[in-house]
Amino acid sequence: MNLYHCLIELRPEARALSFAHAVGLWLNHLTKLELVSDWRLLRRKFGLASGRHTDFVLEIEIEGMAALDTAFTALADADADAVELYEKMHAMIETVEIGLYRPYPDPSQRERIALI
């Protein structure tokens, strides 16, 4: 399992609840297509965040790099309804920074925990 995360800052005119709704529609669509395993959207609490931690953190679980490649390929061939869902969500975003994480130590990478 890999975790793809996005640090998201909304445009000044965007409303947080509208954005959350649009994200839900988009990612539930991807979940139904089995392009993502699971996802969750988190919002900054009490304005407490530093550095790059902005309005929202979006976490998307994928099975592996092959699943990520499959998702990007499917998105490139998306139908008009899927494009509309994506564009509604994306139009509210000012900036986004992404990261891809994996479990560590990762048995599939043959990483071992060294005892000191």
Side-chain angles (χ1 to χ4, degrees):
M1 185 68 60
N2 291 279
L3 182 66
Y4 184 80
H5 85 272
C6 306
L7 302 173
I8 300 167
E9 181 74 27
L10 295 183
R11 294 179 187 263
E13 68 276 7
R15 297 189 179 265
L17 285 175
S18 296
F19 176 72
H21 180 71
V23 168
L25 292 174
W26 171 242
L27 286 166
N28 286 334
H29 172 73
L30 296 183
T31 303
K32 287 178 190 172
L33 296 175
E34 299 181 354
L35 296 174
V36 300
S37 301
D38 199 11
W39 65 274
R40 71 182 183 157
L41 183 66
L42 304 159
R43 184 160 190 212
R44 178 180 60 197
K45 187 169 184 170
F46 298 126
L48 295 175
S50 64
R52 296 297 203 202
H53 297 90
T54 57
D55 288 335
F56 287 93
V57 175
L58 175 61
E59 297 177 343
I60 303 169
E61 290 182 12
I62 56 173
E63 289 299 322
M65 294 305 291
L68 186 61
D69 186 53
T70 301
F72 284 135
T73 300
L75 297 176
D77 298 330
D79 63 18
D81 292 335
V83 170
E84 183 179 350
L85 290 174
Y86 174 80
E87 287 179 352
K88 283 182 181 178
M89 176 196 66
H90 194 263
M92 293 184 238
I93 297 173
E94 179 76 24
T95 60
V96 63
E97 294 192 28
I98 59 170
L100 182 63
Y101 292 85
R102 62 184 171 91
Y104 190 85
D106 187 347
S108 68
Q109 298 293 322
R110 295 186 175 89
E111 295 163 342
R112 305 282 183 217
I113 299 174
L115 298 176
I116 298 176

